[in-house]
Amino acid sequence: DEVLPFSVSKDEAIERFMQWVAKKRFVPKGFFARDQVRQMEGVYYPHFVTECLLDGRYDGEGLRSTVMDQGQYIVTTTEHYAVTRRAKIRFADVMRPALQSADRKLSDGIHPFPLNELKPFSGAYLSGFLAERRDLTESQATEDVESELDGYVKPLLSQTVHYTTHTGTASASLLDKQSRYVLLPTWVLTYRKSGEKEPYFYAMNGRTGEVCGKLPINKGKLRLYGLMLAGVCFAVYCVAAYFLF
């Protein structure tokens, strides 16, 4: 139905990725070679963007307590209130990948996308990029959306219930659900390093430049840092103990 065009160019994506890696203290020096990073590809990944209307209800009990000192006695008064709240709640832009093989950690890690900038689909936007074809139906991809949104009903309807304490339960029924099939821009990189058994996978938001992926760790450098930190803490403890005791 719609597509979100790339706004981060490949050269910019490479620079942002290298800057992101440079900020990570324990990545082995020289692990990432710019020439290999240049192999990243721009891919449009299919998603369903869903809007739901729920009829939510919250039922519970609120307690309001007051304490009064009456000289010989301290009187505690507790008032019990029945609490009922009901509202129609609309949730917009609930996203789900339309691929069975999608890595949700990578996919969710580069959210959010500026969905207000979606354009009506045109094949011209795909020129020079790859595009994955969905292998999930709308019902398959969005089957867990309702259960997720149900969990938001209680905090939404009870956040302004002002009693000393309150308890209750929430329920919701789905009134309407509409999904759009959209393509979202992602720069992807599968990085293989000589001597490493498994490749490393990275994703970058093609609009915001947000990066997600698992980085290698220089364990020797991490241990050295830990020992140095432990040494500093021990020294501070010794100095403090000398002056205080």
Side-chain angles (χ1 to χ4, degrees), residues 15-139:
E15 288 301 322
R16 290 196 181 202
F17 181 82
M18 298 303 293
Q19 291 171 9
W20 177 70
V21 171
K23 294 177 182 177
K24 308 302 179 182
R25 181 175 298 176
F26 301 112
V27 174
K29 187 176 181 180
F31 184 89
F32 289 96
R34 183 178 291 267
D35 288 343
Q36 194 169 352
V37 174
R38 290 196 65 84
Q39 296 177 19
M40 67 168 54
E41 297 180 314
V43 183
Y44 281 103
Y45 280 104
H47 288 72
F48 284 103
V49 177
T50 302
E51 181 174 306
C52 293
L53 180 64
L54 298 184
D55 182 4
R57 184 183 177 98
Y58 175 79
D59 294 287
E61 180 183 49
L63 303 180
R64 180 172 291 144
S65 299
T66 56
V67 179
M68 297 181 62
D69 187 348
Q70 297 184 349
Q72 187 176 356
Y73 301 100
I74 295 178
V75 180
T76 300
T77 303
T78 302
E79 299 172 320
H80 296 252
Y81 295 87
V83 179
T84 298
R85 285 189 166 187
R86 188 175 182 181
K88 290 182 179 179
I89 310 171
R90 186 176 298 278
F91 296 90
D93 298 341
V94 183
M95 290 177 51
R96 289 291 186 273
L99 289 175
Q100 296 185 46
S101 60
D103 187 331
R104 283 293 298 273
K105 288 184 178 180
L106 276 180
S107 176
D108 293 350
I110 59 173
H111 288 184
F113 286 84
L115 299 180
N116 59 309
E117 299 173 9
L118 282 164
K119 306 293 184 183
F121 177 78
S122 170
Y125 290 117
L126 308 187
S127 179
F129 300 100
L130 302 175
E132 292 280 357
R133 184 184 296 274
R134 68 181 175 94
D135 57 11
L136 291 175
T137 65
E138 177 189 336
S139 59

Side-chain angles (χ1 to χ4, degrees), residues 54 91 145-155 170-174:
L54 298 184
F91 296 90
V145 166
E146 185 177 352
S147 61
E148 177 188 336
L149 298 184
D150 284 350
Y152 300 144
V153 172
K154 183 175 181 178
S171 60
S173 59
L174 183 65

